[in-house]
Amino acid sequence: MNNNQQSPKKRIIDVDIHESVLYKDLFKYLDNPYRRYIEDANWIQEKHLPYTQPSVAGVNRADAKTPDGGIAGSDLPFMQEQLLDDIGHEYGILTGALDPSPSSMHGWYEMATALASAYNDWQIENWLEKDERLYGSVHINAEDPSGAVREIERVGSHPKMVQILLPIDDKMWGDPYFHPIYEAAEKHNLMIGMHHNEPPIYYGKWPRYFIEWHSLLPTTHMMMVTNMIFNGVFEKFPNLKLMMIEGGFTFVPHLMWKLDQQYTDLRHEVPWIKRKPSDIMKEHVRFCTQPSEELNKKDFLSVLDQMGSEEMICFATDYPHWDFDSPHRAIPNFDPDLKKKLFSENARAFYPKLK
Amino acid sequence: MKEQTVCHIDDMQPGELRESVIGRISIVVCKTLDGEFYAFTNKCIHQGGPLAKGKLCGAPQSDNPGEYTFCQDGEILRCPWHGREFDVKDDGRMLANPERKLPSFPVKIENDYVIVYK
């Protein structure tokens, strides 16, 4: 194991680092016929956002392109140099680049499940076992819960797999159809990490501009938290916790108030909920600092006060994406106790596999 | 202590609500399916909805997501406005927040008449 860790400048657990892969790099881990389906048909990975990209290097930081011209996030030594060593990470959680995103694929469950397995093996061999700071996410094809459970059983006990990754697209993951996944997660001490992929936000359609889509991504996170809570996922799986990745956190007070108020009026529809939804959120759901809305100290503290908790937010860089948050600039300069919670201890408390 | 005769016990059917007044206070009298009587303020503690216009119903309960059991039929007073549920046999406590409850009034049956006291 190559450990380039320097003495940390401050303890940082970064809960959103995107490593990237090209399909050809998965061939080694992909059985036939799936490898040949891709190879023979020259299947090119692609995303579907109908926009030109937001920055000069697409969705990535332009300076994150690898020295040999490869895609950002595809080279561990360069990530070590540019992120882990430079900032002095204690730990980083890999969240993939959602390409491939097996749970986002429609149909052909066999291919999606095979891609998920190949991705996990690639991730373990090339990242988790090469840098002790990096922890990983189990990729699954959630559309096929039985196949997903088999994959969780296969790699979920790996000591560096800390969560199961679910993309936010157009599927409501609180639906009982997906509950076998949560049962398997609990069994292996895995949390759930949700990260938006390409959710159509405007009534199932795309807005005209990227800025509209990107501004309203937090609404999709609100949908998922609401869906998971009222479908009783946390009542059924009391040890399960949910990390909402890259949705920010300033919407959380509104969501807590709204769900509590609605529960008071409409409890009869979801009688398995026995406590205030905001209490469920405080116990089971965590949110990321990124993408920062650049609040000043007073406003940031005001949001925390409205949430009634300093334990619900975890720091994330979103490296190597264009809207990366620097730990030195994105968060106001708080007192040491609060800084410690935001930058490391809240995440450490969330992921039981982190020491 | 003020008292108000509301009605004869047979004037109300099990599961029925009836509005009455004691002094200047509007109250709702509830007759549960087992023939017991209970009285509360007629203004919902939420936003003042007229509870006598609501319904005495039951409460779906569950310990398993997706499964329902219908309990306490005729014992849950639901506000006609926002539908908040109050357990008339548990001192008018709100099901979603048992720390809150409807102000209640003592009820006695005297010579087969329903008497509410304040």
Side-chain angles (χ1 to χ4, degrees):
Chain A
M1 179 173 287
N2 174 21
N3 176 13
N4 291 328
Q5 187 173 10
Q6 303 168 339
S7 298
K9 294 160 191 156
K10 72 172 94 165
R11 283 187 178 274
I12 288 178
I13 299 178
D14 180 350
V15 300
D16 189 23
I17 299 175
H18 295 287
E19 83 284 12
S20 291
V21 71
L22 295 174
Y23 279 9
K24 69 179 175 57
D25 297 323
L26 294 179
F27 286 168
K28 174 182 167 188
Y29 309 93
L30 200 55
D31 291 334
N32 281 328
Y34 304 108
R35 170 181 173 159
R36 294 298 298 270
Y37 275 130
I38 295 173
E39 207 169 14
D40 295 353
N42 194 28
W43 191 18
I44 298 169
Q45 25 190 162
E46 58 176 327
K47 292 258 195 172
H48 304 98
L49 283 177
Y51 308 106
T52 57
Q53 299 300 328
S55 78
V56 294
V59 296
N60 294 319
R61 276 174 35 172
D63 66 334
K65 185 181 284 190
T66 64
D68 62 357
I71 57 170
S74 63
D75 183 279
L76 175 60
F78 189 57
M79 181 189 284
Q80 289 168 330
E81 177 190 328
Q82 192 168 48
L83 180 75
L84 304 174
D85 298 343
D86 183 56
I87 289 176
H89 277 50
E90 182 183 0
Y91 297 125
I93 313 297
L94 296 178
T95 51
L98 291 158
D99 194 0
S101 178
S103 296
S104 306
M105 294 172 69
H106 297 280
W108 209 4
Y109 296 160
E110 299 88 343
M111 172 61 92
T113 301
L115 276 172
S117 294
Y119 194 94
N120 291 328
D121 290 341
W122 170 84
Q123 181 190 182
I124 289 169
E125 184 174 327
N126 295 284
W127 299 84
L128 306 189
E129 295 187 346
K130 287 191 173 167
D131 191 305
E132 68 181 21
R133 292 165 293 189
L134 293 177
Y135 283 71
S137 303
V138 177
H139 292 235
I140 57 171
N141 166 27
E143 281 266 46
D144 172 18
S146 62
V149 168
R150 279 197 303 277
E151 184 61 15
I152 296 165
E153 293 291 338
R154 192 179 73 84
V155 297
S157 60
H158 190 285
K160 301 194 77 184
M161 285 293 196
V162 295
Q163 67 187 358
I164 293 166
L165 186 69
L166 290 174
I168 302 173
D169 281 311
D170 57 357
K171 300 183 183 72
M172 306 309 287
W173 297 124
D175 190 302
Y177 178 75
F178 302 110
H179 288 195
I181 292 166
Y182 306 132
E183 186 178 353
E186 259 197 341
K187 180 179 168 187
H188 289 287
N189 227 8
L190 297 166
M191 303 296 109
I192 300 297
M194 284 193 194
H195 190 298
H196 50 267
N197 185 25
E198 295 184 328
I201 288 172
Y202 279 22
Y203 314 108
K205 297 176 184 171
W206 300 105
R208 289 183 68 200
Y209 301 110
F210 181 89
I211 191 172
E212 296 178 80
W213 180 78
H214 201 252
S215 296
L216 290 176
L217 281 172
T219 64
T220 67
H221 290 242
M222 294 169 71
M223 289 177 197
M224 291 313 314
V225 173
T226 303
N227 180 249
M228 293 285 280
I229 286 177
F230 285 139
N231 276 267
V233 172
F234 303 113
E235 313 309 304
K236 202 165 166 182
F237 307 100
N239 297 318
L240 193 73
K241 292 183 181 175
L242 172 64
M243 179 71 77
M244 301 304 297
I245 305 165
E246 206 183 332
F249 64 94
T250 55
F251 61 87
V252 175
H254 162 74
L255 192 62
M256 293 170 109
W257 291 322
K258 176 57 76 179
L259 299 193
D260 283 355
Q261 186 275 332
Q262 289 290 287
Y263 171 68
T264 314
D265 284 352
L266 300 169
R267 180 218 67 86
H268 63 94
E269 193 181 18
V270 287
W272 42 87
I273 305 296
K274 310 285 191 192
R275 52 188 168 151
K276 289 195 292 185
S278 62
D279 287 340
I280 297 174
M281 288 169 71
K282 283 177 185 171
E283 183 179 336
H284 291 274
V285 190
R286 296 295 177 265
F287 302 86
C288 292
T289 51
Q290 191 272 342
S292 162
E293 277 128 357
E294 303 180 6
L295 302 185
N296 61 32
K297 191 172 178 178
K298 175 172 167 283
D299 290 342
F300 197 118
L301 290 173
S302 165
V303 176
L304 291 185
D305 187 48
Q306 291 173 44
M307 291 166 67
S309 172
E310 294 181 348
E311 279 80 46
M312 296 177 73
I313 305 175
C314 302
F315 176 74
T317 61
D318 189 34
Y319 178 90
H321 287 166
W322 68 284
D323 48 349
F324 166 89
D325 270 349
S326 162
H328 309 304
R329 296 294 184 91
I331 311 290
N333 188 24
F334 293 122
D335 68 66
D337 283 349
L338 181 54
K339 260 197 260 192
K340 204 171 162 186
K341 287 180 182 175
L342 298 180
F343 281 106
S344 60
E345 298 316 298
N346 289 348
R348 198 189 315 276
F350 178 83
Y351 292 111
K353 288 186 178 180
L354 291 186
K355 301 288 189 295
Chain B
M1 179 177 278
K2 290 182 179 171
E3 63 178 70
Q4 175 68 45
T5 300
V6 177
C7 61
H8 188 273
I9 56 171
D10 294 332
D11 289 342
M12 285 178 67
Q13 297 301 308
E16 188 179 335
L17 299 173
R18 177 166 295 198
E19 183 178 356
S20 185
V21 175
I22 184 163
R24 293 182 171 181
I25 301 174
S26 176
I27 61 171
V28 55
V29 177
C30 315
K31 185 175 183 180
T32 53
L33 300 187
D34 57 8
E36 299 289 328
F37 289 85
Y38 302 86
F40 302 93
T41 175
N42 192 32
K43 276 192 175 181
C44 183
I45 53 173
H46 175 216
Q47 290 195 28
L51 293 169
K53 302 290 187 189
K55 192 154 188 138
L56 262 186
C57 50
Q61 296 289 3
S62 174
D63 290 325
N64 298 304
E67 297 176 8
Y68 295 89
T69 307
F70 193 65
C71 306
Q72 294 182 272
D73 194 9
E75 298 176 9
I76 306 299
L77 174 56
R78 285 196 75 191
C79 176
W81 285 3
H82 300 89
R84 297 202 174 182
E85 305 162 288
F86 301 93
D87 186 341
V88 301
K89 290 207 168 192
D90 190 17
D91 209 16
R93 291 184 193 283
M94 189 189 296
L95 295 194
N97 182 2
E99 290 177 4
R100 303 201 66 198
K101 60 182 187 179
L102 297 173
S104 60
F105 299 88
V107 180
K108 287 185 181 171
I109 306 300
E110 295 175 11
N111 299 320
D112 287 343
Y113 279 85
V114 181
I115 317 289
V116 177
Y117 293 86
K118 174 181 174 247

